Amino acid sequence: MQKPLDTSILDNLPIAIGIADFEGKIHYINKNFTELFGYKLKEIPTLKDWGKLAFPDEVHNAQWLNIWEETKKSNYRTQKTHTPDTFLIRCKDGQSKHIEITFNIHDRLLFAYFRDVSELHFSKEKVDIEGNGNQPL
């Protein structure tokens, strides 16, 4: 039996965090998760529920679920941190954000860390466009 999870230290961290078990039930999201995406825990009780909202198109939703399954398989024994992936995620208010997600497994729980990289993405896009515009033909 798993001991109760003490999340008090996670509540005020400056990064969005979610914790789910291997069956996909979400046990915890911190305040920054709710601020970033707009969802409360009761609205997204499972990873599949969150995936349907965050990745409304089937391709990206399937990609998200595949990464979750692969992370469970590959990182369960090593408990190492998964290489971050960036996704375009739809928030509750309909806004889409570029979010870098890093996974870690500990005690049969998936810890997911979410970082908004939208400004970095758009800055890079702007530099690429401006840079390409100055290239000789």
Side-chain angles (χ1 to χ4, degrees):
M1 171 130 179
Q2 226 173 22
K3 61 184 174 185
L5 185 63
D6 180 7
T7 57
S8 59
I9 197 165
L10 305 176
D11 290 336
N12 294 305
L13 288 178
I15 188 165
I17 297 172
I19 302 172
D21 63 27
F22 272 28
E23 288 72 44
K25 180 181 179 192
I26 299 174
H27 291 271
Y28 172 80
I29 56 175
N30 71 349
K31 171 175 78 170
N32 279 321
F33 182 99
T34 299
E35 288 174 4
L36 182 60
F37 300 114
Y39 298 109
K40 295 183 179 181
L41 185 57
K42 66 183 176 186
E43 298 171 292
I44 51 169
T46 69
L47 292 173
K48 286 186 180 181
D49 292 322
W50 186 69
K52 288 176 189 172
L53 297 170
F55 310 101
D57 73 87
E58 291 180 25
V59 172
H60 288 100
N61 192 10
Q63 186 180 32
W64 152 257
L65 290 173
N66 183 51
I67 287 174
W68 149 244
E69 290 298 327
E70 289 300 314
T71 299
K72 277 195 316 189
K73 289 178 194 171
S74 65
N75 293 359
Y76 176 62
R77 289 191 182 131
T78 63
Q79 301 212 359
K80 72 177 196 176
T81 301
H82 177 283
T83 304
D85 285 303
T86 301
F87 294 92
L88 188 61
I89 295 179
R90 182 175 299 163
C91 302
K92 186 175 180 178
D93 66 3
Q95 181 183 10
S96 292
K97 296 178 181 178
H98 292 272
I99 303 294
E100 180 183 84
I101 305 175
T102 305
F103 300 105
N104 186 275
I105 293 179
H106 181 71
D107 286 341
R108 293 191 56 83
L109 290 173
L110 171 80
F111 288 72
Y113 313 96
F114 304 87
R115 186 169 76 109
D116 187 352
V117 294
S118 298
E119 287 188 31
L120 294 172
H121 178 81
F122 292 121
S123 295
K124 182 184 179 312
E125 213 172 64
K126 184 178 178 185
V127 167
D128 289 346
I129 290 169
E130 290 175 354
N132 289 338
N134 294 330
Q135 296 298 320
L137 295 175

